[in-house]
Amino acid sequence: MKNSKKTIGNTSDEKQNDLDLNKSNAENQFLTTNQGVKINDNNNSLKAGERGPSLLEDFILREKITSFDHERIPERIVHARGSAAHGYFELYESMEQYTKAGFLTDTSIKTPVFLRFSTVAGSKGSTDLARDVRGFSVKFYTQEGNYDLVGNNMPVFFIQDAMKFPDLIHAVKPEPHNELPQAASAHDTFWDFISLMPESMHMIMWVMSDRAIPRSLRMMEGFGVHTFRFINKNNESHFVKFHWKPKLGTHAVVWDEAQKISGKNSDFHKQDLWEAIEAGNFPEWELGVQIIPESDEHKFDFDLLDPTKLVPEELVPVKIIGKMTLNKNPENFFAETEQVAFHPGHVVPGIDFTNDPLLQGRLFSYTDTQLSRLGSPNFHEIPINRTIAPMHNNQRDGHMRQEIATGRVSYHPNSLGGGCPFQAKIDEGGFASFNERIDAQKIRERSESFSDHFSQAILFYNSQTPTEQGHIAKALSFELGKVETEAIRTRMLGLIAQVDKNLAATVAKNLGMNVPAAPEKPINHGVGADEEGEKHEPKKVKQTIENSDALSMLKNPTLSNTIATRQVAFLCAEGVNAASVDSMKKALKGAGAKAVIIAPHLGTIVSEEGTEIKVDQSYLIAASVLFDAVFVPAGNGITELKKVKEVAEFIKDAYQHCKFIAAEGQGIDVLPIDADGGVLTSEKAGDNTLAGSFIEAMGNHRYWEREKTL
Ligand code: HDD
């Protein structure tokens, strides 16, 4: 099937060739200036005498320093920290009935993609494990032009109107007077803003859930967030919501673990993505769509244009239509990951916008930001941003223009250029916006249909398992615990109580406060309000459904329980039983997981049987939070580990974070913890049954039962 794919200008490899044209290869080459002049001395600047002043004439020095001075470009105002990879998208079945987009109708096309993940609030060098939304931006290099699906790992957003975006971001970013805290929402200005914006309560439930601390970028769902349109050949429109479902399942770490990972390896996600791809463990996501006929626009108890709402999968099932595979790391972080420019407005014929006021504002913002970030309207010429479709127009000049446009014609219509380039009719692939009928008054207001701020927050909270609900309570207690202004906490408790009274009571208890009897009257945002702002208070709507399993990571039955690519720490020492190590390693490898041998020192250790075992990491380097599970093998020497402080800490942390722990023989004596259903042991060294149970247990990700005893 794969071999029969068409190859005309649309494979991942060919996009790569496109990029290759711009690659420099310094092998067997002289060092030169940017003008190609060979450099004779790259160590000394030109001076007036050995000990004399440097000369302005030194064009080599000046060029080198100038280039260095300008090496940094402004980082993205949001989503500054990113990790990306190349890959391709394959379509399972034609969506012709709904859209005319070639890459969604022709199953023989393999469309190259570039995917950039990001955190939102932190700056470029901040930790991967911040509690935050993750950006999930996919650039499809289609034959009809670039299509960017610029989404997040959560299906809703904080605010309903782009007008509030700068306020939201100013509030979450480090506070302006002291630049504190970095990459964290746990501070006064963020919660001040949120406490006055009840429309954010649904999103708050998501960001306070474990979705905001993913185990891996490879284990996150992605969402297009807004409702978009599919347009078919007959110019018929269907509403569409996009979903990315990871083949490895959706998994998270726990908050204490996240904080520790930030110290042990703040590049944890970036490195994990890079290493998985280098090892050939190509991450995969299936693309799903929820399709809603135009005629059903007003069928729901929420507004499809409201980005603080999702369409429950129970109401409109997600249809899986294709798969994306990431198979190549960028070769140069700056050239590709940093310079890639996404834009929700990069659409192709067959995909169109809705009037979601958040999306409408985004359509302006992204080009504008590239102008200041990348410095010129010619950012489309940077290799990573180039379309693979032929590109001809009369746009000219500007900073850093690459194209050498030939001929005298740079306008349309023209006769001197034979009328070229000419407009494409719709049946020749020309983009024509959906001719939606608009008959309205110019107005600066929000539709009353946007005024339900709590129903879906309640739906989300009610759909979580008790474990997940507990994590939300802890996250809110942590975040609000860092808020110094009591009035902000009080306002938040008032809002949380409108989602769930018990949740509010738990958080209030942790804050040593009381839930206010009546929530403060929210400030008015023009939600269909009259002049006094009285008319439409945020209201609740009775939802058609009260529970949606798809919203829970732990309940979600559709996600796989594979342990592929999981990292298991083998706590070893001199005198470890090699058979115990080898058989567990083999079993884990069979399930796609990786054993990492940790010992008191690097190099090799000698096993009980006298064989040498290569050590991957020492206890000085390794930490439990960087692994998914722990195995302590058998062996006479293994009890020595009781004396190693780091080992006790390692196991205790794994236990605290509800990880599965297995031990064999003498390894059992090393465990400084109580046995429970997540601690699997066998007196026998090299016990295949233990290995089988360990693998099966790890498929559940964590032993959450343990939390009740901690
Ligand atoms: Fe945005 C970047 C996702 C609302 C303005 N946004 C950016 C990125 C992602 C999102 C994933 C990083 C792209 C990359 O990897 O380079 N943004 C979203 C989602 C939103 C959203 C899912 C709501 C549903 N954004 C949003 C609004 C505005 C912006 C309402 C402004 C009106 N976003 C930007 C930006 C950024 C950006 C300032 C910064 C860097 C960039 O665009 O290229 O223009």
Side-chain angles (χ1 to χ4, degrees), residues 76-79 116 118 135-137 150-152 157 162 165 225-226 342 358 361-362 365-366 369-370:
R76 290 164 172 82
I77 166 70
V78 283
H79 298 265
R116 182 176 181 272
S118 46
F136 196 115
S137 307
V150 196
N152 281 341
F157 204 64
F165 191 69
V225 183
H226 312 282
F342 292 96
L358 193 70
R362 292 181 77 191
S365 182
Y366 288 69
T369 212
Q370 308 313 346

Side-chain angles (χ1 to χ4, degrees), residues 128-129 134 153 210-220 248-254 257 261 268-273 553 563-568 625-629 659 701-702:
D128 278 340
L129 265 290
R134 299 299 184 285
N153 73 331
D210 293 346
R211 300 265 181 170
I213 39 173
R215 155 66 182 84
S216 160
L217 300 170
R218 302 174 293 126
M219 298 170 197
M220 303 188 314
L248 293 174
T250 309
H251 300 289
V253 297
V254 297
E257 192 183 2
I261 295 174
F268 186 66
H269 284 156
K270 191 185 279 285
Q271 192 173 345
D272 166 272
L273 178 68
M553 287 201 286
I563 67 159
T565 76
R566 295 311 185 106
Q567 308 264 335
V568 183
V625 292
L626 307 176
F627 296 90
D628 292 290
K659 290 178 185 171
H701 184 55
R702 297 288 162 98

Side-chain angles (χ1 to χ4, degrees), residues 207-256:
V207 280
M208 292 299 115
S209 81
D210 293 346
R211 300 265 181 170
I213 39 173
R215 155 66 182 84
S216 160
L217 300 170
R218 302 174 293 126
M219 298 170 197
M220 303 188 314
E221 284 185 276
F223 301 91
V225 183
H226 312 282
T227 304
F228 291 91
R229 278 199 159 88
F230 268 163
I231 310 293
N232 66 16
K233 279 221 164 75
N234 304 326
N235 205 28
E236 289 157 347
S237 158
H238 285 81
F239 294 109
V240 59
K241 290 268 188 190
F242 292 103
H243 296 244
W244 291 107
K245 304 258 183 198
K247 289 287 241 181
L248 293 174
T250 309
H251 300 289
V253 297
V254 297
W255 180 230
D256 177 64

